[in-house]
């Protein structure tokens, strides 16, 4: 199959690109403007897969960029990763987020329609659920995102749903990722935040490698096992595999499905610190600080829909997460 990856050089895009190439039966193109990634990620995927793929450098919001990509590559399906993802920044610059994520996605769907490409897998997020009314979150849980970033994901989901309903043979899989973490086993590709990390695991690994002094733990009086926030951490390798299954599902089916991608198990911040200390054999100094605004106490997925529709389930565990994140961090202490 011919698959276009918007945002293909990013953290999740690069790992998915590698899996698509390792599958051996796919022709792939990565479209990226490198606004939050490095061309080096694509060079490393090429080396690791020992296979060629096409790259187009450009902004996916530019109609002439998309037209030229679709005209030359003629994808059967699109995996749509491109967009902005920082919750805090989205509170300060909501219009930028609506333009990059929502307007950009409308332009992409318009281009797909004009070129007769009717299959899309979209990077959504568990953040669309908002405060839990019950746990685990299943796909029917009410949607109530609490920040502009989350609302862009919610609006795009609805737009895709309407678009699919308007087309005779379109299909979409809305993958609601929980917390993607870890790195490829090779340690050649991984998560490479451009600024001080917002997310727990890259922050911990930068403390372990000595780039940051200590971890701030945001709150220890949540109603969880040890008082710290509990999340469903999904290994990037498993997440990439879910995309391969989702593309196949989209190609074989019609309609729109939202599907959780998680492990179904929650891990607290303190449990993650301990697991990383064991994997790295380093101490992670930390201080307990106040709660981070907008954080929920617990978040984890019901994962039966992914098993039923995609035949997919997470295989890697917390030990794999910490081992591969540490391998990537030590091999690339300053990123790409
Ligand atoms: P990332 O920033 O590493 O990847 C996004 C890629 O898109 C980058 O390579 C960036 O350069 C590119 N890009 C951004 N704007 C672009 C534009 N206008 N034109 C072309 N390329 C553009 O992020 P990621 O962690 O790989 O996330 C991928 C997707 O998954 C995003 O849509 C994100 O919202 C979603 N998601 C991520 C997480 C997470 O925790 N990482 C969780 C839930 C959902
Ligand atoms: N945390 C700390 N210290 C840090 C960073 C995080 O204690 O320096 C804690 C948080 O309070 C939370 C947990 O670690 O309890 C996980 O925080 P992350 O920032 O790693 O992840 P979030 O669950 O807050 O958010 C992530 C992505 C969102 C996405 C969401 C989906 O950043 O974009 O998962 O569930 F929407």
């Amino acid at each position: 199959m011919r698959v276009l990856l918007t945002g293909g050089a990013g953290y999740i895009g690069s790992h998915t690109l590698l899996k698509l190439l390792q599958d051996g039966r796919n022709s792939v193109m990565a479209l990226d403007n490198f606004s939050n990634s490095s061309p080096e990620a694509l060079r490393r995927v090429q080396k690791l897969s020992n296979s060629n793929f096409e790259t187009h450098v450009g902004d996916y919001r530019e109609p002439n960029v998309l037209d030229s990509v679709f005209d030359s590559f003629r994808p059967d399906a699109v995996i749509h990763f491109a967009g902005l993802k920082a919750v805090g920044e989205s509170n300060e610059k909501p219009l930028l987020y609506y333009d990059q994520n929502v307007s950009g996605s409308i332009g992409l769907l318009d281009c797909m329609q004009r070129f007769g490409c009717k299959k899309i897998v979209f990077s959504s997020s568990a953040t669309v659920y908002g405060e839990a009314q019950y746990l685990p979150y299943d796909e029917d849980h009410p949607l109530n995102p609490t920040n502009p970033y989350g609302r862009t994901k919610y609006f795009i989901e609805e737009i895709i749903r309407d678009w699919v309903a308007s087309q005779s043979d379109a299909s979409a899989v809305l993958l609601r990722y929980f917390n993607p973490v870890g790195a490829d086993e090779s340690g050649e590709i991984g998560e490479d935040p451009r600024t001080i990390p917002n997310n727990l695991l890259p922050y911990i690994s930068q403390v372990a490698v000595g780039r940051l002094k200590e971890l701030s733990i945001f709150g220890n009086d949540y109603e969880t096992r040890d008082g710290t926030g509990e999340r469903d951490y999904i290994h990037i390798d498993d997440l990439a595999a879910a995309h391969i299954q989702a593309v196949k599902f989209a190609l074989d089916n019609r309609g729109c499905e939202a599907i959780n991608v998680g492990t179904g198990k929650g891990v607290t911040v303190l449990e993650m610190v301990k697991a990383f200390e064991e994997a790295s054999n380093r101490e992670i100094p930390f201080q307990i600080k106040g709660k981070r605004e907008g954080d929920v106490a617990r978040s984890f997925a019901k994962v039966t829909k992914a098993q039923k529709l995609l035949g997919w389930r997470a295989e890697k565990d917390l030990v794999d997460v910490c081992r591969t994140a540490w391998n990537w961090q030590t091999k690339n202490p300053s990123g790409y």
Side-chain angles (χ1 to χ4, degrees):
M1 56 193 172
R2 302 177 67 75
V3 189
L4 170 67
L5 277 62
T6 71
Y11 172 45
I12 306 170
S14 57
H15 287 80
T16 305
L17 179 60
L18 178 61
K19 261 231 183 325
L20 281 164
L21 294 166
Q22 285 169 338
D23 189 59
R25 288 168 296 176
N26 304 307
S27 184
V28 190
M29 180 188 267
L31 165 64
D32 208 297
N33 66 355
F34 302 126
S35 56
N36 196 38
S37 55
S38 160
E40 179 62 15
L42 296 180
R43 282 194 284 275
R44 294 195 187 181
V45 169
Q46 190 138 24
K47 201 177 96 189
L48 285 171
S49 65
N50 198 22
S51 53
N52 285 322
F53 58 89
E54 295 182 57
T55 301
H56 192 108
V57 181
D59 190 321
Y60 92 108
R61 290 168 303 164
E62 302 277 340
N64 58 336
V65 166
L66 278 184
D67 275 31
S68 121
V69 161
F70 274 76
D71 198 25
S72 68
F73 185 62
R74 304 269 164 181
D76 302 313
V78 176
I79 310 182
H80 180 28
F81 297 106
L84 302 182
K85 62 167 185 176
V87 171
E89 186 187 48
S90 80
N91 284 315
E92 285 149 32
K93 301 175 183 167
L95 298 184
L96 176 67
Y97 273 66
Y98 287 120
D99 179 42
Q100 281 272 357
N101 295 4
V102 181
S103 306
S105 298
I106 294 172
L108 174 64
L109 292 171
D110 177 61
C111 189
M112 288 174 64
Q113 186 168 321
R114 283 186 289 108
F115 283 86
C117 175
K118 304 260 185 95
K119 310 288 176 183
I120 184 165
V121 174
F122 172 60
S123 294
S124 189
S125 167
T127 197
V128 295
Y129 294 121
E131 191 73 46
Q133 294 184 12
Y134 55 85
L135 283 168
Y137 290 105
D138 61 27
E139 289 82 354
D140 296 324
H141 186 284
L143 305 182
N144 186 21
T146 55
N147 55 68
Y149 164 71
R151 279 187 283 277
T152 68
K153 294 293 177 190
Y154 168 65
F155 294 145
I156 299 165
E157 285 199 1
E158 296 294 300
I159 290 166
I160 293 177
R161 222 178 266 289
D162 287 340
W163 177 72
V164 167
S166 75
Q167 305 293 305
S168 56
D169 50 356
S171 63
V173 180
L174 314 170
L175 291 180
R176 293 180 180 156
Y177 312 154
F178 279 70
N179 290 59
V181 283
D184 184 61
E185 291 287 343
S186 65
E188 292 289 317
I189 57 172
E191 186 171 11
D192 181 22
R194 297 215 146 169
T195 51
I196 294 182
N198 293 312
N199 296 120
L200 181 65
L201 203 75
Y203 203 106
I204 289 181
S205 45
Q206 291 196 15
V207 171
V209 85
R211 264 173 87 178
L212 294 169
K213 205 168 119 268
E214 64 180 14
L215 172 71
S216 299
I217 294 185
F218 302 135
N220 67 347
D221 57 355
Y222 284 109
E223 284 191 22
T224 61
R225 288 185 286 283
D226 56 27
T228 64
E230 188 178 331
R231 294 291 182 277
D232 186 339
Y233 295 94
I234 175 77
H235 194 284
I236 190 72
D237 209 28
D238 284 329
L239 180 56
H243 288 83
I244 314 294
Q245 295 306 105
V247 172
K248 287 183 187 150
F249 182 85
L251 287 171
D252 292 344
N253 291 278
R254 289 177 188 179
C256 185
E257 296 287 354
I259 303 180
N260 286 341
V261 189
T263 64
K265 288 187 211 103
V267 171
T268 68
V269 176
L270 284 172
E271 286 165 352
M272 183 62 94
V273 168
K274 188 163 173 285
F276 206 92
E277 286 183 332
E278 278 163 18
S280 63
N281 210 14
R282 306 262 173 115
E283 195 195 335
I284 313 291
F286 65 80
Q287 268 198 45
I288 304 293
K289 297 273 175 67
K291 286 179 177 156
R292 187 169 64 176
E293 206 190 313
D295 272 358
V296 298
R298 307 175 74 207
S299 166
F300 54 95
K302 183 158 187 191
V303 292
T304 44
K305 191 170 177 186
Q307 283 171 24
K308 195 167 151 221
L309 295 193
L310 305 182
W312 172 93
R313 65 191 308 162
E315 283 170 6
K316 302 218 164 183
D317 61 15
L318 193 57
V319 173
D320 299 314
V321 160
C322 295
R323 176 177 52 76
T324 56
W326 181 236
N327 185 34
W328 153 254
Q329 185 69 70
T330 46
K331 280 189 168 164
N332 307 271
S334 318
Y336 284 112

